[in-house]
Amino acid sequence: MKTKIPPIDLQAEFREIAPAVAKRTQAVLTRGRYILGREVRTFETNFARFTGAQYALGVASGSDALLLGLMALDLKPGDEVITTPFTFIATATMIARLGAKPVFADIEPDTFNLNPDLIQRKITKRTRGIIPVHLYGNPCRIDEIVRLAKRNGLFVVEDCAQACGATFRGKEVGTFGDIGAFSFYPTKTIGAAGDAGAVTTQSKKLYEKLKSLARHGEDGAFHSYRHVRIGINSRLDELQAAVLNIKLKHLPKWNRTRRELAKCYDQLLKKGTGNNSLPVPFFEVPHETPNAKSIYHQYTLRVQNRDELRNYLNQQGIASTVYYPLPLHLQPCFRYLGYREGSLPQAEQASHEVLSLPLYPQISADKQKTVVSVLQRFLS
Ligand SMILES: *Cc1c(COP(=O)(O)O)cnc(C)c1O
């Protein structure tokens, strides 16, 4: 019988925490306080501690975390924000939502992250900030980006949606820029049982503003009904916070396991599972950014005949994934920005060559070996 290997296994993850979740969510339902209760307060405190940020605010999604961050930094129509074209759509649409213009700079071919060396030439009089993304859980060269931003008077919003707990020079991502935006979408490394997100900052002023903006621009206390700015409704639910409080305790262990599993793939892919080693030129294993510790939200290969390999893996019951098949500058919704095919060649090439293998803390060594031996069979 063929082994079926999913890209991730949320049911296996849930089995680890099921009794705790049952107890804690039941307590929330029994208390009858569903919005901004003690689970949310606890989560915000613990999440700030986990990320090393001064302040953390729970919000409704990672997309809202980005949007609120940009609102708090007063992004205005006509402003420009430089970001990567090789990311989830929300990184750029949240800029456009506020009437500002996303400006795409190309990525590094080895890490797939925004290339700091290509940012300077994109800066104009209208540039207000930079949104780097720590793609696949691998930190970008955030120190250089922050330095460049400071030199040019720009803000930095870090998109940490895939990188909760990843570090650069020993410091957690989300604490380098003005604001860190996190997503707890179920398939992220710490996922809620639905949509959820968080924003982090080191600035009390920004924190107060973020909090107000997420609660319809309310001034001070919740339900004061005095609105000093035009905000949105974006809160972390009490039930989601209860689930996240449980998962946050497991996250350091899960992240460590992800790193070990990634090293295991590295080894297997280098050596092969049998006697004959793999034809290395056909693919590249992930490159971790120097001085960074990736949490391997994705284990992403670069493969020339990607689509063929993907079909083959699929036939053998192995689900692989492509993040992302179309770079943002070529998305129909951004046609008005005027990019063409060839505008950002590294991102375009990556979109044809990336392939993420199944990786989740509960995957077995046997399954990893199966993935690699099937890959090996395809290549030989
Ligand atoms: C998931 C993700 C988001 C959006 O998060 P949601 O919680 O789904 O709104 C933003 N940026 C990146 C890089 C993501 O992976």
Side-chain angles (χ1 to χ4, degrees):
M1 208 190 74
K2 237 173 2 197
T3 336
K4 285 252 184 290
I5 306 182
I8 67 163
D9 189 346
L10 291 180
Q11 292 173 338
E13 184 187 280
F14 183 66
R15 284 194 289 274
E16 281 188 33
I17 55 171
V21 171
K23 199 165 146 213
R24 206 145 169 170
T25 52
Q26 185 63 41
V28 170
L29 294 171
T30 306
R31 273 201 301 277
R33 167 127 201 189
Y34 305 131
I35 296 289
L36 302 181
R38 68 170 84 144
E39 291 286 356
V40 171
R41 279 198 304 276
T42 303
F43 180 72
E44 288 175 342
T45 305
N46 291 341
F47 194 67
R49 195 171 299 147
F50 178 84
T51 57
Q54 284 294 316
Y55 305 95
L57 179 76
V59 298
S61 70
S63 304
D64 276 6
L66 289 164
L67 182 67
L68 286 161
L70 295 173
M71 287 170 82
L73 291 160
D74 283 322
L75 191 69
K76 294 276 187 301
D79 290 348
E80 296 178 2
V81 178
I82 298 169
T83 190
T84 165
F86 200 58
T87 175
F88 181 61
I89 190 75
T91 311
T93 45
M94 295 304 106
I95 300 167
R97 266 262 134 260
L98 297 174
K101 182 177 166 187
V103 173
F104 299 111
D106 213 349
I107 57 168
E108 302 178 311
D110 52 352
T111 65
F112 308 110
N113 274 323
L114 182 60
N115 187 340
D117 305 333
L118 302 177
I119 293 175
Q120 185 74 49
R121 69 191 69 168
K122 298 276 179 177
I123 297 176
T124 71
K125 279 201 190 66
R126 291 173 172 244
T127 309
R128 289 282 324 283
I130 308 172
I131 308 186
V133 179
H134 306 294
L135 196 72
Y136 305 145
N138 183 30
C140 66
R141 283 152 61 194
I142 188 67
D143 56 342
E144 288 169 68
I145 291 173
V146 167
R147 228 179 293 134
L148 188 83
K150 287 220 169 96
R151 223 169 34 234
N152 291 280
L154 308 176
F155 65 70
V156 173
V157 173
E158 294 177 70
D159 185 335
C160 305
Q162 303 185 1
C164 192
T167 59
F168 186 86
R169 292 190 197 282
K171 202 170 146 219
E172 267 75 12
V173 299
T175 56
F176 291 85
D178 299 275
I179 281 174
F182 293 84
S183 165
F184 308 124
Y185 181 80
T187 60
K188 302 290 158 85
T189 49
I190 168 171
D195 277 307
V199 248
T200 57
T201 181
Q202 312 302 324
S203 151
K204 183 160 203 292
K205 215 170 127 203
L206 274 179
Y207 168 71
E208 297 294 346
K209 199 163 166 191
L210 285 162
K211 192 157 88 171
S212 165
L213 283 166
R215 300 173 190 179
H216 281 306
E218 230 168 0
D219 171 20
F222 181 48
H223 282 176
S224 72
Y225 295 110
R226 198 184 123 81
H227 304 271
V228 294
R229 50 176 69 82
I230 295 169
I232 60 174
N233 171 12
S234 183
R235 294 179 295 242
L236 174 64
D237 293 349
E238 197 61 3
L239 271 175
Q240 299 301 347
V243 172
L244 291 169
N245 275 322
I246 294 161
K247 287 198 179 183
L248 191 60
K249 290 202 187 107
H250 292 260
L251 189 59
K253 175 189 69 193
W254 285 340
N255 280 349
R256 272 197 306 278
T257 306
R258 282 177 176 280
R259 286 184 62 76
E260 285 160 17
L261 294 168
K263 296 293 164 241
C264 182
Y265 266 141
D266 283 349
Q267 288 302 315
L268 287 170
L269 286 164
K270 235 177 265 167
K271 287 199 212 124
T273 51
N275 293 327
N276 46 347
S277 63
L278 285 163
V280 172
F282 286 107
F283 69 91
E284 267 177 58
V285 298
H287 296 267
E288 201 170 27
T289 301
N291 305 309
K293 265 193 163 171
S294 171
I295 48 121
Y296 293 94
H297 171 54
Q298 299 297 337
Y299 185 87
T300 305
L301 303 177
R302 185 192 276 278
V303 205
Q304 253 122 66
N305 36 4
R306 194 260 323 268
D307 294 336
E308 271 174 77
L309 172 61
R310 192 178 186 206
N311 283 339
Y312 184 77
L313 288 171
N314 207 19
Q315 280 161 20
Q316 305 300 312
I318 296 166
S320 57
T321 41
V322 174
Y323 303 110
Y324 294 89
L326 188 62
L328 302 197
H329 66 289
L330 300 179
Q331 291 286 349
C333 68
F334 285 134
R335 204 166 284 148
Y336 71 95
L337 293 172
Y339 293 86
R340 282 167 294 106
E341 214 153 308
S343 299
L344 299 162
Q346 292 299 344
E348 290 165 31
Q349 193 179 341
S351 71
H352 292 118
E353 296 183 349
V354 290
L355 190 70
S356 302
L357 300 181
L359 190 149
Y360 45 92
Q362 298 78 15
I363 198 173
S364 65
D366 276 356
K367 286 203 167 105
Q368 278 193 296
K369 271 190 199 139
T370 306
V371 172
V372 174
S373 58
V374 171
L375 210 142
Q376 200 171 357
R377 222 180 304 144
F378 171 80
L379 294 172
S380 60

